[in-house]
Amino acid sequence: MKTSLTILSLVLTVVMMSCQPQSKPSVFTPAVQKINPEKFDQTVDGKQVKLYTLVGQNGIGLKVTNYGARIVALCVPDKNGKPTDVVLGYDNLNDYINRPQTYFGAAVGRYANRIGDAKFTLDGVNYNLVANDGMNSLHGGPKGYFAVVWNARKLSDSKIQFTYHSPDMEEGYPGDLDVTVTYELTPQNGLKIDYKATTDKTTVLNLTNHSYFNLSGEGSKTILDHVMMLNADSITPVDSTLIPTGIIESVTGTPFDFTKPTPIGERINADNTQLKYGKGYDHNWVLNNKSSNVALAATVYSPVSGIKMDVLTDQPGIQFYTGNFLNGQEIGKSGKPYEHRSAFCLEVQHYPDSPNKPQFPTTTLKPGQTYQHECIYRFSVMK
């Protein structure tokens, strides 16, 4: 009898163990797993900086820091289910501080992209900004939101909220601005970014995220083999300093036509004045979605990893940049150099220099109004 009870007990134990949830394999690559949070644990401008980890339901993982509200790593499964880090970045805070011009993974503001001659007029008042891109202002100036410490509040295992108070005349912009940026990993293997802001004085505002992607994996040598579609029939062509001329130009018959899936490198070296100005693609596309609803703006696919990324937004434009100024001098978190055109950016936003182009969609924010903006980077695989 005792033997029978012992056997029954063992059987029940095995059954119960088989019913227990099994530990899931890490969603992070080995290089990302080795990132030491202590290398981000510092005080900057009197505020504490930390590294935070988010994990989603279906094999997606995110590491972010409140220094610049930066995405440090974003891992998604490839066609074989292997975790693949698809964004460029460093494994320590000091590199982000000492190399701000890369903007890796950063929240960008108060005005993303360029403002010509580093000045604009609003309600009859002239505002002079800090020029940090030749004669122009780029990404909010040298002390833009990418280079400040945000307040962080982790809302769940898959969601974190960053807030920042931007004081009146910071980098030359009027108004006390309160900004909230929320990162959330969705059940559809998406990274959703929600932006919200209010001001006490009329100002201009254009927020985006400046992640550099390589869907073959961070540290891979090229993105020219990636196949991309942009839901945009036109661009805002630029002058030699990359400031829009103010006209809207059709992409038909040009190297800028990505209305059908096309390899990024197929026409990047074409004899084209706009490509020469940008040293490759570094332009704003006018998205076809004219509603205020979130819609598909772009799709990019890596034939190496099988990873596909859809970009969805409610913004009127998207800046496509092909890492033209990467030159191998930046060493990433996996120890690999970031080579020329080894990453791309798809920054959803309003058009560059809109404060000086009244024909462009307005970027003016007034007291009593709330700026709201949603972007989703959604991942899947193609085998």
Side-chain angles (χ1 to χ4, degrees):
M1 182 70 177
K2 184 178 290 187
T3 301
S4 298
L5 288 173
T6 301
I7 294 173
L8 179 61
S9 177
L10 287 170
V11 170
L12 288 173
T13 300
V14 171
V15 170
M16 289 178 66
M17 288 179 66
S18 67
C19 293
Q20 295 296 317
Q22 303 299 305
S23 59
K24 294 181 180 180
S26 173
V27 299
F28 294 109
T29 66
V32 172
Q33 285 177 301
K34 292 178 182 178
I35 294 178
N36 186 353
E38 293 182 1
K39 292 185 177 181
F40 289 82
D41 193 358
Q42 297 182 35
T43 300
V44 178
D45 296 333
K47 296 181 179 180
Q48 183 63 44
V49 177
K50 288 186 176 296
L51 182 70
Y52 301 86
T53 298
L54 303 183
V55 177
Q57 297 179 17
N58 298 307
I60 184 170
L62 179 72
K63 289 187 181 290
V64 292
T65 177
N66 57 321
Y67 180 75
R70 289 174 182 261
I71 295 171
V72 175
L74 176 60
C75 291
V76 300
D78 70 2
K79 60 186 176 183
N80 298 313
K82 180 182 176 181
T84 303
D85 186 8
V86 295
V87 296
L88 275 56
Y90 303 118
D91 66 356
N92 66 91
L93 178 61
N94 287 335
D95 279 348
Y96 285 107
I97 293 173
N98 296 327
R99 296 173 171 83
Q101 73 281 356
T102 61
Y103 306 105
F104 289 154
V108 178
R110 182 173 299 195
Y111 199 95
N113 219 308
R114 295 171 175 85
I115 292 183
D117 294 327
K119 62 184 179 181
F120 64 92
T121 300
L122 188 62
D123 291 343
V125 179
N126 296 323
Y127 292 97
N128 294 309
L129 309 174
V130 182
N132 62 328
D133 182 46
M135 66 182 71
N136 304 318
S137 176
L138 176 64
H139 295 327
K143 192 70 171 176
Y145 297 168
F146 60 89
V148 300
V149 181
W150 296 59
N151 298 317
R153 185 161 69 102
K154 194 171 180 181
L155 303 178
S156 70
D157 288 342
S158 59
K159 190 174 184 179
I160 191 168
Q161 184 180 84
F162 295 109
T163 58
Y164 178 66
H165 176 77
S166 179
D168 182 36
M169 299 310 296
E170 182 179 43
E171 296 295 282
Y173 291 92
D176 283 318
L177 191 78
D178 288 301
V179 188
T180 300
V181 177
T182 304
Y183 297 116
E184 181 179 8
L185 299 178
T186 72
Q188 296 76 32
N189 258 20
L191 168 60
K192 183 169 76 167
I193 309 176
D194 283 314
Y195 303 83
K196 185 178 290 187
T198 57
T199 182
D200 68 349
K201 185 188 296 185
T202 301
T203 190
V204 296
L205 182 63
N206 190 28
L207 302 176
T208 195
N209 179 270
H210 208 299
S211 287
Y212 286 66
F213 295 95
N214 187 316
L215 301 184
S216 299
E218 173 265 347
S220 297
K221 291 186 178 297
T222 187
I223 46 87
L224 298 183
D225 60 344
H226 286 37
V227 179
M228 185 176 72
M229 184 281 299
L230 290 175
N231 188 16
D233 295 332
S234 53
I235 62 168
T236 52
V238 295
D239 64 19
S240 61
T241 70
L242 301 184
I243 296 297
T245 61
I247 66 173
I248 306 294
E249 188 172 90
S250 172
V251 299
T252 301
T254 77
F256 293 82
D257 188 350
F258 285 93
T259 53
K260 295 180 180 179
T262 305
I264 290 173
E266 185 170 294
R267 298 164 300 188
I268 197 170
N269 294 315
D271 185 10
N272 178 278
T273 300
Q274 287 295 306
L275 288 175
K276 291 177 182 178
Y277 285 160
K279 295 180 171 57
Y281 295 110
D282 191 4
H283 296 76
N284 171 69
W285 270 253
V286 177
L287 293 173
N288 292 337
N289 178 31
K290 304 306 178 187
S291 74
S292 59
N293 299 323
V294 173
L296 182 68
T299 294
V300 191
Y301 160 72
S302 163
V304 174
S305 68
I307 294 172
K308 185 180 82 156
M309 182 176 77
D310 295 327
V311 184
L312 300 95
T313 184
D314 51 15
Q315 293 296 281
I318 189 167
Q319 184 84 8
F320 174 49
Y321 169 62
T322 45
N324 309 312
F325 295 99
L326 296 174
N327 57 13
Q329 294 185 5
E330 303 298 331
I331 306 299
K333 57 207 154 185
S334 61
K336 298 176 182 177
Y338 292 152
E339 305 286 356
H340 182 58
R341 294 176 179 166
S342 64
F344 67 90
C345 302
L346 283 170
E347 306 155 62
V348 299
Q349 57 180 14
H350 273 62
Y351 308 165
D353 203 36
S354 289
N356 294 314
K357 301 288 191 300
Q359 67 272 39
F360 286 176
T362 182
T363 55
T364 300
L365 181 68
K366 298 181 178 181
Q369 296 178 333
T370 299
Y371 172 98
Q372 289 184 295
H373 160 191
E374 181 176 318
C375 170
I376 301 171
Y377 296 103
R378 187 176 63 198
F379 298 89
S380 58
V381 292
M382 298 176 62
K383 296 185 178 180

